[in-house]
Amino acid sequence: METRSGPVVASFFIFLCLLPTIFCASGDGLMRFGLKKWKLDQNQLAAHLEPKDGLSLRGGVKNYQLHWKLGYREDADIVPLKNYLDAQYFGEIGIGSPPQKFKVIFDTGSSNLWVPSSKCYFSVACYFHSKYKSGHSSTYKKNGKPAAIRYGTGAISGFFSEDSVKLGDLVVENQEFIEATKEPSLTFLVAKFDGILGLGFQEISVGNAVPVWYNMVKQGLVNEPVFSFWLNRNADQEEGGEIVFGGMDPNHFKGEHTYVPVTRKGYWQFDMGDVLIGGKSSGYCAGGCSAIADSGTSLLAGPTTIITEVNHAIGATGVVSQECKALVSQYGETIIERILAKDQPEKICSEIGLCTFDGVRGVSMGIDSVVDESAGRSNGGLRDAMCSTCEMAVVWMQNQLRDNQTQERILNYVNELCERLPSPMGESSVDCNSLASMPNVSFTIGGKIFELTPEQYVLKVGEGDIAQCVSGFIAMDVPPPRGPLWILGDVFMGTYHTVFDYGNLRIGFAEAA
């Protein structure tokens, strides 16, 4: 991630001791590591689902409001991943000579490597994680250039250094990385990982540092410029997953991969088609959306318009939006009339005075909200909300009119969707006993439908009577030209084995095995 907008990493409120890693070599020439999963007990569950601190299960979603910002080989190298509550996948690397061990998230949504520094004196988070000691490494090279990365729940800052980085059996020499001397956020304090290893493109690298992956390719450490992810979502298995550098393991996918080209270097971004809810078009991405495959994001993020429809369809409970219901009450009939009159949908909200038209879409014009300020919210925030809420209502009403619904039914339906708008923290809970009745949600990529079942898109925490379930879908709105944007995080990548083909600038998906 670049300095001004980086990831919000998954965060939880439990401190557990790291179980020992078990090494084993297999007959196919690959080195594999046995992995352990982390599980909650009854006393710990409530803390994980408590949203008031802003660090609940929704935590694995990044801030993407940017300003800029194959074949299998026996000699491919494997780095194992640990799985924490199906929300944090991390593996072990070594920095320096001899290697100092760190647990890092392998993040395709950022491009820098950083770990805590022994010179981090005033951030509590540093005292709970492994710290890099340059004086203990014979291959350390001083750099000293300052660096800072801002995340959605905080920031890290420090300075660049250079040293060797060990991943599995591979050693990357003279790798530039950040020694973090400040980690003020509670996110990093409770995280199960020490740092982050970015696998995105250099275009979003802070300080224009050469990413680890680039150096792996440049130094000839992999025969194929390809890496792949398998994230194990099976709660009955302790193994967390694998990242394979230099190829892919056929034991972890079924059939052939569907490949799509990278459309914009920086993140692993590609074009995506329609989103289907229960096999039915949502109507929002029928003309195409952009998407990012992001291993550093725990859940699956998309435009509020569709996420609200999904949460309504699966019975997720969010927070009632007063401004949304007020808009429907005051402007609902007018919007329906404009749609029936064949007005351009993208201009309707500006025509009724809730947005100003910028030639492509409606944008906020800073008008006063129809909801009284006594509702206890920031009036400035409500002003901005009215334009986007109106545009969502237009899409919802269009879909209902296509089904020849009556005006009364349409207004009732939109009011129901207002009640399903995600809470300010993004998370929405669902009934664990209702999974069988929930619809599948599908994504069109490369002309193929990639389907997620309720068991795949619902995050279940705990077992038996104490089990609680959270929708894997959260809202995030990125405006054009970069948006509308979907972030296909671990909820999606856990279902579909993902290949990042750096050599051919493409990304591939196949059913995980």
Side-chain angles (χ1 to χ4, degrees):
M1 281 301 163
E2 61 174 1
T3 303
R4 290 159 291 185
S5 57
V8 180
V9 290
S11 46
F12 298 91
F13 298 87
I14 297 176
F15 297 100
L16 298 174
C17 293
L18 181 64
L19 296 175
T21 304
I22 301 171
F23 299 87
C24 65
S26 61
D28 58 7
L30 297 176
M31 180 62 72
R32 289 179 170 82
F33 301 77
L35 304 174
K36 299 289 185 180
K37 282 191 178 184
W38 302 99
K39 295 185 179 180
L40 292 173
D41 61 33
Q42 296 184 15
N43 296 325
Q44 297 166 334
L45 176 63
H48 283 253
L49 293 175
E50 180 57 56
K52 62 185 178 183
D53 291 306
L55 292 169
S56 55
L57 290 176
R58 58 94 191 171
V61 178
K62 306 177 179 177
N63 176 3
Y64 282 92
Q65 297 176 348
L66 303 183
H67 300 281
W68 332 341
K69 197 175 171 195
L70 297 142
Y72 168 74
R73 303 185 62 89
E74 289 190 352
D75 52 6
D77 200 75
I78 289 179
V79 173
L81 301 178
K82 287 186 180 294
N83 174 17
Y84 183 56
L85 299 178
D86 284 341
Q88 291 184 18
Y89 288 87
F90 51 90
E92 187 175 86
I93 66 169
I95 301 179
S97 303
Q100 301 172 38
K101 296 180 180 180
F102 298 92
K103 300 184 296 292
V104 297
I105 286 182
F106 290 88
D107 179 21
T108 58
S110 66
S111 300
N112 290 89
L113 168 61
W114 69 263
V115 295
S117 172
S118 61
K119 297 178 177 63
C120 180
Y121 304 118
F122 303 109
S123 295
V124 177
C126 291
Y127 291 93
F128 289 91
H129 295 92
S130 299
K131 296 184 287 292
Y132 171 76
K133 302 175 179 65
S134 58
H136 291 189
S137 174
S138 62
T139 47
Y140 162 75
K141 293 181 181 179
K142 184 177 179 179
N143 181 306
K145 182 173 61 178
I149 305 179
R150 181 166 300 280
Y151 295 82
T153 55
I156 67 101
S157 60
F159 57 90
F160 281 100
S161 292
E162 292 181 22
D163 210 331
S164 58
V165 176
K166 190 173 188 293
L167 301 94
D169 291 333
L170 304 181
V171 177
V172 182
E173 297 179 346
N174 302 316
Q175 176 61 49
E176 197 172 13
F177 68 100
I178 299 171
E179 289 192 51
T181 56
K182 292 183 180 179
E183 297 182 38
S185 173
L186 180 63
T187 300
F188 302 118
L189 175 65
V190 300
K192 302 307 299 181
F193 53 88
D194 302 311
I196 293 176
L197 191 154
L199 292 169
F201 292 90
Q202 190 172 1
E203 279 79 354
I204 59 170
S205 177
V206 171
N208 199 38
V210 178
V212 174
W213 169 246
Y214 280 47
N215 279 329
M216 291 174 70
V217 175
K218 183 179 180 180
Q219 294 176 21
L221 301 179
V222 291
N223 288 332
E224 295 289 338
V226 174
F227 62 91
S228 57
F229 273 84
W230 170 64
L231 304 180
N232 187 6
R233 305 292 281 188
N234 189 332
D236 297 326
Q237 297 179 1
E238 294 183 344
E239 190 175 13
E242 289 178 349
I243 175 173
V244 179
F245 291 106
M248 47 188 165
D249 188 338
N251 293 316
H252 292 317
F253 62 89
K254 302 175 183 177
E256 300 293 328
H257 286 80
T258 296
Y259 286 93
V260 287
V262 172
T263 55
R264 186 168 185 172
K265 290 174 67 177
Y267 307 105
W268 287 86
Q269 183 170 332
F270 56 94
D271 289 335
M272 187 183 80
D274 201 5
V275 179
L276 310 176
I277 304 173
K280 185 176 180 180
S281 171
S282 63
Y284 190 80
C285 284
C289 284
S290 292
I292 292 169
D294 187 357
S295 61
T297 291
S298 301
L299 305 181
L300 200 158
T304 301
T305 304
I306 303 183
I307 297 300
T308 302
E309 290 193 62
V310 171
N311 282 338
H312 176 266
I314 69 178
T317 303
V319 174
V320 176
S321 172
Q322 296 184 55
E323 60 267 29
C324 181
K325 287 199 166 189
L327 181 141
V328 174
S329 174
Q330 187 166 348
Y331 299 103
E333 293 182 6
T334 301
I335 293 174
I336 292 175
E337 290 173 1
R338 299 269 184 168
I339 295 173
L340 291 173
K342 307 296 184 182
D343 285 4
Q344 289 181 267
E346 62 272 15
K347 290 186 177 181
I348 291 176
C349 294
S350 58
E351 288 172 350
I352 62 179
L354 294 179
C355 301
T356 182
F357 189 66
D358 68 356
V360 178
R361 62 188 289 273
V363 296
S364 174
M365 57 189 298
I367 62 174
D368 290 334
S369 170
V370 296
V371 180
D372 189 85
E373 199 168 352
S374 64
R377 303 185 184 186
S378 165
N379 197 37
L382 291 176
R383 293 192 197 109
D384 293 338
M386 292 305 294
C387 176
S388 60
T389 302
C390 176
E391 296 212 320
M392 285 192 293
V394 170
V395 174
W396 295 337
M397 292 177 185
Q398 278 183 293
N399 289 338
Q400 291 296 298
L401 285 169
R402 291 193 191 100
D403 292 340
N404 297 317
Q405 299 289 344
T406 65
Q407 176 173 293
E408 180 181 6
R409 176 69 188 96
I410 293 173
L411 295 177
N412 287 338
Y413 174 73
V414 174
N415 271 313
E416 291 176 5
L417 291 183
C418 287
E419 295 179 1
R420 301 298 183 181
L421 282 170
S423 72
M425 301 319 304
E427 70 283 335
S428 298
S429 62
V430 297
D431 183 357
C432 293
N433 297 319
S434 300
L435 267 63
S437 62
M438 295 180 189
N440 293 341
V441 179
S442 307
F443 300 84
T444 307
I445 302 173
K448 183 178 178 179
I449 301 297
F450 291 83
E451 193 169 60
L452 295 177
T453 66
E455 290 78 13
Q456 292 166 339
Y457 65 67
V458 169
L459 185 64
K460 188 174 183 179
V461 183
E463 299 177 357
D465 294 338
I466 67 153
Q468 296 191 36
C469 291
V470 177
S471 169
F473 297 95
I474 64 172
M476 184 198 66
D477 294 299
V478 177
R482 179 172 287 275
L485 185 69
W486 283 84
I487 311 301
L488 305 185
D490 297 341
V491 167
F492 186 87
M493 290 177 61
T495 303
Y496 294 101
H497 181 270
T498 308
V499 175
F500 296 84
D501 188 341
Y502 175 76
N504 294 303
L505 287 180
R506 61 178 185 168
I507 186 167
F509 303 98
E511 183 181 354

